[in-house]
């Protein structure tokens, strides 16, 4: 059985097969044809076997893919849609043909497909462990396979500040040399970061930068002690919630303004994430004061803001601020209320319930990497068995911008470690974000995963197996 993950809206197979050989060519839209030729190991031509055609698309963000006895044709109204069609085609190939077609039997089929949610994301924590540019590019290629279209980078935390800021250069001079495990950290120059943004764009993925405030700021205060009311030391442990900024100091707001202005300048995408989670050593009054001022400053730079759901404690958010929910599939105290607050203030919600969507939780007690909390361990089956519209009454499909799978990097030192924890659970999250709820079937998904992990092996993507 050939498989596509996430499950398409409609797939109708005909009798027979089509044989794709190494003499086949790709053409049509030049950008995506070039990409498809590269991943499939085929040439580009003007009279192609695989025709990627820009044409009126039946549904927003969607595409069609038709394999007949005469060849292959994809249609979409954007290059992004054609790129998605290529991902489906890659998955229809036998795994051993996925990195270079020699002779591949493909089913005669017609797929008509479009996403349930616009925002389909992964998050990579580059602060607890730093990941160099090439590692991030690898993860971008990995997640593109699953039709994810946003990569949220958690750029700053207690253990390190990972993005150069011209106006506050000590952030990366003194604030980036630490990480968990004490291997010396690292950071992205502005050119590094631009390279990541461009590479992501070539995979039709939008980078969402996060500067986590006002907690998770120990590294910033190591670099600039005046940002904290209390003395700080470099930190390479895994505790959370102990740091905060000097909330009543004007220096703090000059810092916020400078950092956000420079990050916004590096960000062609519409979103900017300001964190707001686990500010456990900030008083309620100070938290609300900080969020009101920091979000007002950030909104001036023209981006739609995103905050972890605690930010919804504020009723003074810029209109349309997006909330990212990280409590459980059964909301913990306050979480539903804080999340609904974003909706009341004109914003939508990204669902990342920690007990099913956090990719850094162990699969089972024997998993060497990963953390155990959030009702973990979290099996592959657990990661599939939930629906984002069934968590908070009043938050259904219309209130949801989408779904995101975060990976916090306390235990992952290399991108191979990241892949091991992410795959295949990230396939569950991608299917939940893309496929119609009624199309999902755990038993049948498990069968498709068997094939999918063969593809992961062929592509050199580490994974934790399907059990
Ligand atoms: C919670 S949930 C965090 C992170 C940790 C993660 C570990 C949330 C927004 N923050 O600071 O890295 O748990 O799983």
């Amino acid at each position: 059985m050939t498989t596509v993950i996430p499950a398409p809206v409609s797939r109708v197979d005909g009798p027979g097969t089509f044989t794709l050989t190494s003499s086949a060519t790709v053409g049509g839209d030049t950008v995506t044809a070039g990409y498809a030729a590269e991943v499939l190991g085929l040439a580009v031509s003007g009279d192609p076997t695989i025709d990627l055609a820009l044409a009126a698309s039946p549904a927003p963000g969607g595409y069609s893919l038709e394999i007949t006895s005469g060849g292959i044709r994809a249609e979409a109204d954007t290059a992004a849609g054609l790129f998605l069609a290529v991902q489906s085609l890659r998955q229809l190939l036998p795994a051993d043909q996925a990195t270079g077609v020699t002779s591949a039997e493909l089913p005669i089929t017609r797929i008509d497909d479009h996403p349930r949610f616009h925002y389909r994301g992964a998050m990579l924590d580059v602060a607890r462990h730093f990941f160099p540019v090439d590692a991030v590019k690898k993860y971008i290629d990995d997640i593109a396979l699953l039709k994810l279209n946003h990569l949220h980078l958690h750029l700053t935390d207690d253990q390190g500040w990972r993005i150069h800021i011209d106006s506050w250069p000590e952030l990366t001079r003194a604030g980036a040399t630490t990480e968990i495990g004490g291997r010396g950290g690292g950071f992205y120059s502005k050119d590094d970061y631009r390279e990541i943004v461009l590479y992501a764009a070539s995979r039709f993925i939008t980078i969402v930068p996060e500067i986590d405030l006002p907690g998770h700021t120990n590294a910033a205060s190591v670099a600039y002690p005046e940002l904290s009311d209390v003395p700080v030391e470099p930190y390479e442990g895994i505790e959370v919630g102990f740091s905060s900024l000097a909330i009543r100091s004007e220096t703090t707001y000059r810092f916020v303004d400078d950092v956000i202005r420079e990050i916004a300048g590096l960000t062609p995408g519409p979103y900017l994430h300001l964190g707001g989670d686990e500010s456990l050593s900030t008083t309620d009054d100070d938290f609300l004061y900080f969020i009101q001022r920091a979000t007002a400053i950030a909104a001036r730079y023209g981006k739609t803001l995103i905050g972890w759901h605690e930010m919804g404690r504020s009723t003074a958010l810029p209109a349309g601020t997006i909330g990212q929910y990280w409590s459980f599939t059964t909301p913990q105290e306050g979480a539903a209320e804080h999340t609904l607050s974003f909706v009341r203030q004109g914003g939508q919600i990204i669902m990342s319930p920690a007990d099913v969507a956090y990719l850094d939780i162990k699969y089972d007690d024997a998993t060497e990497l990963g953390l155990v909390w959030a009702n973990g361990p979290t099996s592959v089956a657990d990661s599939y068995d939930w629906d984002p519209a069934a968590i908070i009454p009043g938050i259904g499909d219309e209130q949801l911008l989408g779904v995101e799978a975060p990976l916090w990097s306390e235990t992952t030192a290399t991108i191979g470690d990241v892949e091991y924890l992410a795959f295949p659970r990230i396939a569950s999250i991608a299917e939940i974000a893309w496929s119609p709820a009624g199309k999902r079937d755990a038993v049948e998904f498990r069968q498709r995963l068997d094939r999918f992990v063969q593809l992961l092996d062929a592509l050199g993507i580490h994974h934790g197996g399907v059990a």
Side-chain angles (χ1 to χ4, degrees):
M1 185 187 67
T2 55
T3 113
V4 179
I5 296 177
V9 172
S10 153
R11 172 173 170 180
V12 181
D13 287 357
T17 58
F18 170 71
T19 306
L20 190 69
T21 68
S22 57
S23 61
T25 58
V26 195
D29 172 62
T30 49
V31 173
T32 40
Y35 165 84
E38 189 189 317
V39 293
L40 300 174
L42 300 174
V44 174
S45 89
D47 179 24
T49 325
I50 303 171
D51 190 6
L52 305 175
L54 285 169
S57 180
Y63 69 92
S64 64
L65 176 67
E66 191 167 28
I67 304 176
T68 66
S69 56
I72 300 172
R73 182 176 169 87
E75 289 188 9
D77 60 356
T78 61
L82 294 172
F83 182 83
L84 300 173
V86 173
Q87 303 312 322
S88 292
L89 178 59
R90 289 173 81 192
Q91 293 193 25
L92 289 171
L93 289 166
D96 67 347
Q97 301 281 307
T99 56
V101 174
T102 52
S103 180
E105 294 278 294
L106 286 165
I108 301 295
T109 194
R110 181 179 171 96
I111 290 174
D112 288 282
D113 205 7
H114 62 270
R116 178 175 172 191
F117 296 115
H118 166 68
Y119 187 109
R120 306 177 302 278
M123 188 208 81
L124 182 62
D125 171 7
V126 298
R128 272 54 176 272
H129 279 95
F130 178 68
F131 299 95
V133 172
D134 283 347
V136 178
K137 287 182 177 175
K138 174 114 195 325
Y139 202 52
I140 286 169
D141 277 327
D142 294 352
I143 68 172
L145 184 62
L146 289 165
K147 302 188 174 76
L148 299 185
N149 62 355
H150 290 80
L151 177 64
H152 165 187
L153 291 177
H154 183 74
L155 291 167
T156 64
D157 214 301
D158 294 318
Q159 298 85 348
W161 184 283
R162 308 295 180 205
I163 177 82
H164 185 74
I165 301 294
D166 295 331
S167 53
W168 295 71
E170 291 299 323
L171 289 170
T172 44
R173 216 173 282 142
T177 58
T178 43
E179 67 175 13
I180 292 173
R183 300 182 318 162
F187 67 92
Y188 305 120
S189 68
K190 285 197 164 175
D191 278 344
D192 289 341
Y193 192 78
R194 288 187 191 101
E195 192 178 328
I196 291 171
V197 169
L198 272 179
Y199 192 80
S202 77
R203 271 60 179 153
F204 300 91
I205 289 173
T206 300
I207 297 290
V208 179
E210 179 187 354
I211 303 295
D212 198 352
L213 305 169
H216 296 276
T217 48
N218 188 77
S221 298
V222 167
Y224 290 98
E226 63 269 38
L227 291 174
S228 171
D229 286 331
V230 295
V232 299
E233 294 290 333
Y235 186 70
E236 296 188 326
I238 68 163
E239 295 301 314
V240 297
F242 59 87
S243 58
S244 188
L245 295 171
I247 302 294
R248 305 287 164 167
S249 158
E250 286 309 305
T251 306
T252 291
Y253 299 96
R254 197 162 48 75
F255 164 77
V256 170
D257 197 326
D258 288 340
V259 168
I260 298 306
R261 183 183 64 253
E262 291 195 34
I263 296 288
L266 288 169
T267 303
Y271 304 117
L272 209 153
H273 202 308
L274 284 189
D277 60 315
E278 300 173 324
S279 295
L280 306 178
S281 55
T282 313
T283 65
D284 286 353
D285 269 2
D286 277 0
F287 183 78
L288 295 176
Y289 177 83
F290 177 84
I291 292 298
Q292 177 163 14
R293 284 200 62 181
T295 57
I297 290 168
R300 289 210 306 272
Y301 294 106
K303 298 295 178 188
T304 299
L305 304 184
I306 306 179
W308 296 107
H309 69 247
E310 293 101 307
M311 197 184 275
R313 286 158 64 191
S314 172
T315 53
L317 298 175
T321 299
I322 306 296
Q324 184 167 9
Y325 177 86
W326 64 267
S327 185
F328 302 164
T329 42
T330 299
Q332 293 172 293
E333 200 189 335
E337 194 49 32
H338 297 150
T339 305
L340 284 163
S341 157
F342 289 90
V343 174
R344 272 187 228 112
Q345 296 179 74
Q348 286 183 297
I349 303 304
I350 297 167
M351 277 290 170
S352 301
D355 55 340
V356 287
Y358 269 26
L359 302 175
D360 56 301
I361 306 296
K362 287 180 187 292
Y363 290 100
D364 58 39
D365 293 328
T367 315
E368 276 180 35
L369 300 172
L371 300 174
V372 185
W373 71 279
N375 298 335
T378 301
S379 67
V380 177
D382 294 337
S383 70
Y384 192 76
D385 183 24
W386 64 285
D387 192 84
I391 294 177
I392 300 178
I395 297 185
D397 280 39
E398 238 174 78
Q399 288 75 30
L400 289 168
L401 182 63
V403 176
E404 180 180 293
L407 190 137
W408 304 96
S409 62
E410 283 92 339
T411 69
T412 53
T414 67
I415 208 68
D417 291 348
V418 168
E419 290 174 338
Y420 178 84
L421 285 177
F423 287 85
R425 288 180 294 192
I426 194 169
S428 305
I429 309 305
E431 181 145 314
I432 288 166
W434 178 283
S435 307
K439 277 268 158 190
R440 289 192 359 237
D441 174 334
V443 173
E444 189 261 353
F445 177 70
R446 175 68 178 71
Q447 291 165 1
R448 277 183 292 134
L449 270 188
D450 278 334
R451 252 275 315 195
F452 186 70
V453 298
Q454 292 172 19
L455 180 62
L456 296 178
D457 288 334
L459 294 173
I461 300 173
H462 292 237
H463 60 81
V466 289

